[in-house]
Amino acid sequence: MKAHDGMYIGGAWRPAAGRDTVAVVNPADEQVIAHVPAGTAEDVDAAVRAARAAFPGWAATPPAERAARIGALRDVLAARKDEIAETVTAELGSPLPMSQMVHAGVPVLVAGSYAELAATYAFEQRHGNSTVFLEPVGVVGAITPWNYPLHQIVAKVAPALAAGCTVVLKPAEDTPLTAQLFAEATEEAGLPAGVFNLVTGLGPVAGQALAAHEDVDLVSFTGSTAVGRQIGATAGGAIKRVALELGGKSANVILPSADLAKAVNVGIANVMSNSGQTCSAWTRMLVDAERYEEAVTLAAAAVAKYVPGERVGPLVNAKQQTRVRGYIEKGIEEGARVVAGGPEAPLATGYYVSPTVFADVTPEMTIAQEEIFGPVVSILKYEDEADALRIANGTVYGLAGAVWAADDAEAVAFARRMDTGQVDINGGRFNPLAPFGGYKQSGVGRELGEHGLAEYLQTKSLQF
């Protein structure tokens, strides 16, 4: 797979400042498929300077013209959908159907939503004797993860462009090839030079340099809570705005009136998607005591359909594989009952982990408190609705969740009391216009829709 050997800065591919590279490994067969430059602080500085130089012109571009460019970007991504899907499969390991439908398909929807929003959003508003202007923040440093490599890029870059900001992107080192394809797409879509810039490399070097750069006005980061704390501290020292989408330990609450079989099967599918490498995955399944064992039996049967190497891909790298297997071993050590899967590697080659279901999990267990980021489901028992709510809210996270009941009103009443940013009611479908983000240690700020656009705007009021 061909990779660019430079950085995309100021509308052109330029040689990197250093000679070090990062190997890109296919997690399904453990083979190196490409090398990309390991960016330095010098590369980041060049990219930020290009973004700063381009900012006045892009900020002054009428919203309708910005919308047209984002629409053109959406069209390019749609036209290159197959190439994008194949690239994601190669560097992330996602099964090709998943890459086609989700990894390549969803970003097209999100980009399209911002093309429409940029053309219709009220960037100027009248309140009494004041005119309020919503203006672009400036230069955005976007640091994205590997688990949804294109979606996470588009979810940051598209609203930033719609707002009139310019961007420097530092993608995850495991999935840089998708980011390079996105850079090509911005050029093909006709974005002015310097409006979008790409620096590949390692987080502690290029990512830290971007977060700390004095000429970056806002840092948008998606990743672990631990790294989010570091970025927040760095940005806070410079009085710099941040948007942080961090970890999750989402609860799938199945109320006694719910269709148990449907709730369990959809819940298992939710966690197995993307090999469990989803921050919003419903990794804690909460079931009433009376139907608990029935739910365990249903979950074990459901997870058996997710065969490693077929419906479930590998984890992204060897470190992640070791980490997830360690959590499975910890669950066994603390007394949870394995009803499917286990710590043994299911295949001799590739960073695969067996899809695993735990029963007899108690709320204080490690596997019920910490984000595992793998195909692992914990089933917890509750005695009544108050107990279910206590368990659901009983972690440091609050990113997402699900509630199932006989009717939507019952589920909504429960969901309103959950300390979490997004809840799916009886299997509610993904909505690219709905704000996504968390409570508590799951982050600060929101992505997608109008709320996502607002992250990249600042407010000025004129009284007359």
Side-chain angles (χ1 to χ4, degrees):
M1 184 166 294
K2 181 174 174 52
H4 290 278
D5 58 4
M7 309 299 185
Y8 187 71
I9 297 175
W13 293 96
R14 302 181 181 180
R19 296 183 177 180
D20 290 344
T21 62
V22 177
V24 184
V25 177
N26 184 328
D29 61 16
E30 305 179 36
Q31 298 300 304
V32 174
I33 57 175
H35 290 83
V36 299
T40 65
E42 185 178 346
D43 294 308
V44 169
D45 183 63
V48 172
R49 284 189 283 109
R52 177 58 63 191
F55 174 66
W58 184 246
T61 300
E65 292 184 29
R66 297 201 299 259
R69 295 279 65 79
I70 299 169
L73 176 60
R74 171 205 56 207
D75 294 343
V76 174
L77 295 176
R80 301 183 70 173
K81 184 176 177 180
D82 290 342
E83 181 185 8
I84 290 167
E86 291 168 2
T87 301
V88 173
T89 291
E91 62 182 353
L92 179 63
S94 171
L96 189 57
M98 169 75 174
S99 295
Q100 292 169 330
M101 181 180 300
V102 177
H103 291 292
V106 171
V108 173
L109 295 177
V110 174
S113 74
Y114 279 111
E116 294 178 10
L117 191 55
T120 59
Y121 191 79
F123 291 98
E124 180 180 334
Q125 303 171 5
R126 189 69 179 167
H127 298 278
N129 69 310
S130 301
T131 298
V132 176
F133 296 90
L134 298 171
E135 301 178 340
V137 169
V139 174
V140 173
I143 303 174
T144 56
W146 44 261
N147 60 328
Y148 289 90
L150 184 60
H151 169 65
Q152 295 288 358
I153 291 171
V154 172
K156 297 181 188 304
V157 175
L161 297 180
C165 298
T166 55
V167 181
V168 177
L169 170 68
K170 205 301 284 183
E173 52 263 35
D174 291 290
T175 54
L177 303 181
T178 303
Q180 290 189 342
L181 286 180
F182 180 80
E184 293 177 1
T186 65
E187 187 171 38
E188 190 174 340
L191 281 184
V195 170
F196 173 81
N197 307 273
L198 171 67
V199 176
T200 56
L202 303 176
V205 180
Q208 175 62 23
L210 183 58
H213 199 289
E214 62 183 8
D215 220 11
V216 169
D217 299 294
L218 180 150
V219 180
S220 180
F221 168 78
T222 297
S224 71
T225 298
V227 176
R229 285 195 189 96
Q230 297 173 7
I231 289 175
T234 298
I239 318 297
K240 182 181 303 186
R241 284 176 55 176
V242 295
L244 304 173
E245 197 268 280
L246 307 176
K249 193 68 183 174
S250 301
N252 180 20
V253 183
I254 305 174
L255 295 176
S257 66
D259 180 333
L260 184 65
K262 181 179 180 181
V264 169
N265 278 278
V266 175
I268 292 294
N270 172 275
V271 179
M272 295 304 123
S273 175
N274 213 38
S275 306
Q277 299 172 125
T278 304
C279 54
S280 57
W282 311 333
T283 52
R284 295 181 298 145
M285 183 180 293
L286 278 57
V287 184
D288 61 282
E290 185 174 336
R291 300 194 296 174
Y292 183 79
E293 289 302 331
E294 181 184 357
V296 169
T297 299
L298 288 168
V303 84
K305 302 172 186 176
Y306 293 88
V307 179
E310 297 177 15
R311 292 187 68 181
V312 179
L315 301 188
V316 71
N317 55 39
K319 180 180 178 181
Q320 187 69 8
Q321 181 193 41
T322 299
R323 179 178 182 273
V324 173
R325 291 173 67 185
Y327 271 112
I328 296 173
E329 291 169 352
K330 186 70 171 178
I332 296 170
E333 177 187 324
E334 292 184 355
R337 170 168 51 110
V338 175
V339 296
E344 296 79 15
L347 298 173
T349 303
Y351 306 128
Y352 292 93
V353 170
S354 295
T356 299
V357 175
F358 278 109
D360 301 337
V361 179
T362 57
E364 70 278 1
M365 287 183 179
T366 302
I367 59 172
Q369 289 292 322
E370 298 184 11
E371 185 175 45
I372 297 173
F373 228 60
V376 181
V377 178
S378 296
I379 308 180
L380 294 90
K381 182 188 303 182
Y382 67 83
E383 297 302 324
D384 54 27
E385 195 168 296
D387 190 37
L389 186 65
R390 177 187 64 82
I391 295 170
N393 289 339
T395 75
V396 299
Y397 298 111
L399 186 57
V403 182
W404 301 81
D407 61 71
D408 289 350
E410 181 185 1
V412 168
F414 188 95
R416 288 295 305 273
R417 293 179 286 159
M418 293 173 70
D419 298 332
T420 191
Q422 189 173 84
V423 185
D424 291 347
I425 301 298
N426 287 325
R429 293 177 290 110
F430 170 75
N431 179 3
L433 301 179
F436 179 75
Y439 288 18
K440 301 188 285 188
Q441 293 186 26
S442 285
V444 177
R446 292 294 181 269
E447 293 187 327
L448 304 181
E450 290 191 12
H451 292 79
L453 175 60
E455 295 293 332
Y456 301 93
L457 295 168
Q458 54 190 351
T459 306
K460 177 184 292 179
S461 64
L462 277 60
Q463 288 63 246
F464 52 90

